[in-house]
Amino acid sequence: MALAEIDAICRRCSTQFRAQPKRTFLGFQKLQCPKCTQEVLYPLTSGYRVTYWVFLALMVVIFVANLSEGVITFPGLIGIGVIVGLIRDGQIRREVATAIAMTARPAP
């Protein structure tokens, strides 16, 4: 299923554009800036974000349950992917918010 077009902003050249994103391996939205051809990553959609938080909560519950039995567990590949995805999502969301705020400021 194709993703709907989104309004985006390039964090390199501050060009605002509308394009249809593609998904990366972790579920981020990937676009290409029409002006500078920079690859632009956009945050996870809410469905992916909620799913990642649910997986993280389950991992914490399992970790605590195992720890109470005296067993130390570590996240597997999926767990590491979820953690990396949530951290990267937070970074991308901050970068996008900053870029939007910078273009919304009136020029002196």
Side-chain angles (χ1 to χ4, degrees), residues 19-83:
Q20 183 178 12
K22 295 179 182 176
R23 290 265 186 219
T24 64
F25 178 71
L26 289 176
F28 294 102
Q29 300 174 82
K30 181 172 61 170
L31 306 141
Q32 187 173 20
C33 176
K35 185 176 179 183
C36 68
T37 65
Q38 170 81 15
E39 183 180 278
V40 179
L41 281 182
Y42 253 65
L44 297 169
T45 56
S46 59
Y48 272 82
R49 191 174 300 114
V50 168
T51 303
Y52 280 18
W53 279 110
V54 168
F55 276 130
L56 183 63
L58 288 172
M59 286 188 318
V60 169
V61 168
I62 291 169
F63 175 78
V64 170
N66 285 341
L67 196 60
S68 69
E69 295 175 2
V71 179
I72 297 176
T73 57
F74 296 99
L77 233 42
I78 292 173
I80 292 171
V82 165
I83 293 167

Side-chain angles (χ1 to χ4, degrees), residues 7-10 13-18 33-34 99-100 103-104:
D7 293 319
I9 185 168
C10 178
C13 68
S14 299
T15 300
Q16 294 181 1
F17 61 97
R18 184 167 181 80
C33 176
I100 291 171
T103 60

